[in-house]
Amino acid sequence: MADRYKELVRETTGHYIGPMPIEIFLDDFLPWNPDTPENYKAAEIPASRINMLKSMAGAAEAKSCQKFVDAFSEWPSNAAAIAGADNSYIKCPISFHDTHSKRDPSCGKMGMDITVYDEERADRIPTASDFSKSEGFVELKPKENYDAFIDEPRQSLAAQARANATDPGASAVSEGGDDASVQPSNGTPAPTESEIPTPTPSYPFENASSKGVETRGQLAAYNAVIMGVQYRSHVFSTLVCGTFVRFMRWDRSSAIVTRRFDYTQKPEILFRFYQRLAQLTDRQRGVDPTVTLPTEEEDKTARGKFVDYASELWYGQTESFHNEQGKISELSLLKMTFAGDAYIIPAPVYHEGFLSPFGRSTRRGIVMRVSDNRVLYLKDYWREDSALTLKESEIYERLALHNVENVAEMAAGGDVDGMQTIGHQYAGAAWVHWITPLRIRALHAHRILLLTLGRDLLTFPTAKSLVKCVADGMKGHQMAYEKARILHRDISVGNIMMKIRPTDDSPIAGFLIDWDHCVVLDLIPPGGLLQRRILRTGTWQFISANLVENPRAEHTVLDDRESALFVLAYAALRHLEHDLSLMKLNDLLEVFDVYFYQEGHLDEGGSRKRTAIIAGSFANVNFSIPEMHELFAELCSTFAIRYTNPPSKSTARRRRNAEREELERQLEEVKYNNGLARLNDDSWLHTTLSDIADDMPERGKDEFDRVDNTIQTKITVKPSNKLKRTGELTSADCNYALIRVIKKSKGFDGQAVQQVTSDCMN
C-alpha cells in the first residue's frame, strides 16, 4: 500500500489549497446555523476534557488514540445538554471510536486511527473502521515532521532540527502567524534528510519529505474511499501531527486545508470544530439527501429483478471482478430519488479505483425504477462544468434528435441539485501558497439512466460477437460525428457494450455509451482547438499512437477510429486463442500501458504504439481464428499511413537498378494512396469490421471462442533436490517454473513472472 500512497501523491499534486485561516474555514464550511442557540455555541469546555487532550502529547499511538476518544467522549452531546432540553438543532450526534488497530475488511483492510460516526445515520455503530458509515476521521501522527503540509517554508529547518538533537536546551519555533508557539526539545535524534519537511518545488504547501508524502497519500486514500463507498459531495477530516492540528475539507476537485494550530495552546479550537459539525445539516456535511434506505418490500422486489441480470456481468468489469462483488443476496441496497422517480440501487462496493480522491469517480450498474419495477442502467459521476461542454444528458437528447443509431436510449438524466465542488472558488485566494498556479476544476454530480441494457465487451462469447459489437459501436460513432456533429473522444473497451439479448435467437448487436468526454463541434469557436478542457481525455490503453506521443495535439476523428484498433487488439490478445508465449504476450501487452512521467508535463507513451501499428504486430499474431489476421492486417496497414511518409521519387534515382526500384516505388505509392483513401473514407472502418464479422463462422448455443489468457497464477518455485539444503535455485528450476506458469495460465501472468524472476535472482 505504501507504493500506492506514493502514486496517489503524484496524482494529487497541485490539488491542495492552503493554508486557509482557521476562522475562514469554520465560518465558510461549518457556520453556526440560525436555530443553534447561543448557550450551545458558548458551552464551557470542562477542564478535564482539555487536560485529557493535552495529555495526548508525546504518548504512543495506542494511548494517543484512547486519550483523544476519552477527551471527546459524548462531546458535543454534553454541550447540547448544557444548552437545554431541546436539542433538535443537533443534526449529527457524533461519536468517536478508537479504530487504529481495527481495519475495514471490505475496504482493502485499511483502517482509520479514530473514526467519527453519525449515530443517527448508522443503523449500528461499528466497533472497527467502517468507511461506508464514517462521518470522517482523525489521523494521528506522533511527530511534527509527519505533517503532509508546510505553512511557511523555513530555510533554517534542517539546522534547527539538528540543533534540537544536539542541544537539549534548544527550542523549535512553530510555524509563524497567529498560531505561533514554542515547543521545548526533548533531545530526540534529528530526522534524516528524507524526513525533514521540504516544500514541493511547484506547490510549496505540499511537504515532499518521505514522511510528508506518506501522510498525504494516506489521507488521500482514506478520504477517497469514504466518498467512494458513500454518496457524498464532500467530507471533513482532521490531521494531528505531534501537537499540531489541521482541518480538511475534501471534495472531488481538491482538498482545502487549514493553517495548523497547537492543540496544547488552543485546545478550544478542536472542541468548537466538532460542536459546529454536529449542528450542520446533511447537505452541509456533504451527505447526499437524495439517497436513503428502501423499504423491505422495495428491497425484496429489487433483489428478485437483479438476480435475472447477475449473469450478465452488470458491474462493467471482467467476470473475475464481478464474482468478487458477492452475490445479489449479499449486496446492500439503497434508494435514490432523482428526476421525479425513485430507484433501488446497489450500494457502492469498494475496489482499488476508489483510492483516487479527485476526478470523475464514475459509478455504474443496474437499478430498479420503483414506479414500474423496470430495470435500467445508472451512470453516476462528476462532470466538468464548462461553458463549452454540454451535459451528457443533453448529448443523449441531441443524439436522439438526430436519430443516431447504435447508441443507448436515455430515460432520465441531469445534474444533482446541490452537489458541486467549490475548490475553484478558493484556488486564487491571497492566503494560498503556490509557485505554479493551481488549476482546480469545477465539477458537478451528474446522473444518467438508460433504458438500453448491455454487458461488458470483454465478456464477449465469440470472436464474431466481439468484432460485430465494435463495428456497431463505430457506426454509431460515425453517425454521431456526421449527423449530430459530436466527436466521442473516448473509444474504449468500457464504452462499447453488447446489447442484452432477450433470446438466444436475437441478433448480436453493440452500442456506444459514455459521451462525457465528447465535444460538440458546432460549439468550438473558429480556429479553436478541440482540447478546451484542463485535462487530456480518453482511456490511456486505447488512446491513439499520435496522442500518446503528442499529448497536446488536436484530438480528431482519426484518433477515435484508431482507438477501435486498440480495443480489438486488447480484447483479442487477452481473450482469444493464439500462439504467443507467455513472455511475448507480456511484451506485446505492454504496448497498451507504457507511459513516461515528468513532473510538470503531461504523461507520454513513447513510440511503442506507433511501432506496433507500422510493424503490423497484431497481424503477426497467429490467432486460431484466421479472420482475425485479416482484420488486423487491414487495420494496421491503413492506420500506418498516419505515421509514414509518402514514397519519395528522389530516392530511386540515386540508387542502382533505378528502373526496377522506380516500379517498386510506384507500387508503394499506389498502396500508400489506397491506404490514405481508406483512412479518409468515413464508412471504411465500420464497413470493414462488419464485412469481416459476417465472414466469421457462426457458433452454436454452447460454443465459445473466449478464453482467459490472463489468469492470475500463484507460482511456488521448487529448488532442485541437491540444492534443497542451501535453498539455491538453478536456471532449470526457473525454466520449470515458467513452463508451469504457461501451462497453467495459458497466457500472460505478469505477477507470476515477476515472482519467478525475483526468486531466481535472489
Side-chain angles (χ1 to χ4, degrees), residues 516-537:
D516 46 311
H517 288 304
C518 78
V519 292
V520 179
L521 302 181
D522 293 340
L523 296 181
I524 305 300
L529 287 176
L530 298 186
Q531 286 186 305
R532 79 281 187 273
R533 297 182 183 178
I534 293 175
L535 299 179
R536 176 173 53 187
T537 60

Side-chain angles (χ1 to χ4, degrees), residues 158 161-166 187-193 195-196:
R162 293 189 182 95
N164 290 347
T166 57
T188 56
T192 63
E193 289 290 344
E195 295 176 344
I196 295 173

Side-chain angles (χ1 to χ4, degrees), residues 198-464:
T198 306
T200 298
S202 297
Y203 304 101
F205 182 55
E206 300 172 28
N207 183 2
S209 74
S210 60
K211 296 300 185 184
V213 165
E214 177 186 329
T215 301
R216 197 158 61 256
Q218 193 175 10
L219 293 172
Y222 289 2
N223 284 282
V225 173
I226 291 176
M227 291 188 288
V229 297
Q230 300 183 34
Y231 281 89
R232 308 184 70 103
S233 61
H234 59 276
V235 63
F236 294 103
S237 55
T238 302
L239 173 64
V240 181
C241 296
T243 62
F244 292 95
V245 180
R246 297 184 189 276
F247 303 130
M248 297 168 286
R249 181 195 185 277
W250 297 72
D251 64 24
R252 283 300 178 184
S253 71
S254 62
I256 301 176
V257 185
T258 68
R259 177 175 290 274
R260 70 181 193 168
F261 67 93
D262 188 331
Y263 70 79
T264 66
Q265 301 294 317
K266 298 182 178 181
E268 68 280 359
I269 296 177
L270 199 50
F271 286 95
R272 298 303 183 204
F273 171 81
Y274 287 110
Q275 273 182 268
R276 287 173 177 254
L277 181 68
Q279 49 93 55
L280 296 183
T281 64
D282 282 354
R283 191 176 289 283
Q284 287 175 314
R285 299 192 322 276
V287 178
D288 183 352
T290 70
V291 178
T292 56
L293 294 175
T295 65
E296 289 186 12
E297 185 61 30
E298 291 168 341
D299 186 291
K300 180 180 178 181
T301 303
R303 291 184 193 277
K305 290 289 184 178
F306 293 163
V307 166
D308 295 337
Y309 293 92
S311 62
E312 300 297 347
L313 310 181
W314 266 104
Y315 292 88
Q317 301 288 340
T318 59
E319 185 172 4
S320 60
F321 178 90
H322 175 74
N323 291 338
E324 290 173 3
Q325 304 313 292
K327 299 177 182 179
I328 294 294
S329 60
E330 299 172 356
L331 286 175
S332 297
L333 299 184
L334 302 171
K335 184 175 183 178
M336 173 185 289
T337 302
F338 178 70
D341 277 306
Y343 303 87
I344 308 303
I345 64 175
V349 178
Y350 167 82
H351 60 82
E352 277 202 13
F354 281 1
L355 292 178
S356 296
F358 308 130
R360 310 172 75 80
S361 184
T362 303
R363 294 179 284 207
R364 61 189 85 206
I366 51 171
V367 301
M368 186 195 78
R369 188 165 57 193
V370 174
S371 60
D372 58 3
N373 294 343
R374 178 169 180 172
V375 174
L376 291 84
Y377 181 88
L378 168 69
K379 177 183 176 182
D380 175 275
Y381 70 102
W382 290 81
R383 69 169 185 86
E384 184 178 353
D385 192 7
S386 171
L388 294 178
T389 305
L390 286 181
K391 301 174 184 178
E392 189 174 8
S393 56
E394 296 172 348
I395 292 294
Y396 275 106
E397 292 171 351
R398 187 179 178 110
L399 293 170
L401 180 66
H402 291 277
N403 298 313
V404 175
E405 300 174 10
N406 300 340
V407 297
E409 180 183 356
M410 184 179 70
D415 288 342
V416 183
D417 292 339
M419 297 281 284
Q420 61 271 333
T421 62
I422 64 170
H424 61 285
Q425 301 173 14
Y426 292 88
W431 42 262
V432 176
H433 290 173
W434 52 264
I435 294 175
T436 300
L438 303 181
R439 304 182 69 186
I440 306 299
R441 294 187 291 172
L443 304 177
H444 207 301
H446 195 71
R447 289 175 186 156
I448 301 289
L449 288 141
L450 302 178
L451 296 169
T452 310
L453 304 181
R455 57 186 285 181
D456 186 353
L457 182 66
L458 290 183
T459 65
F460 65 88
T462 65
K464 186 184 186 77

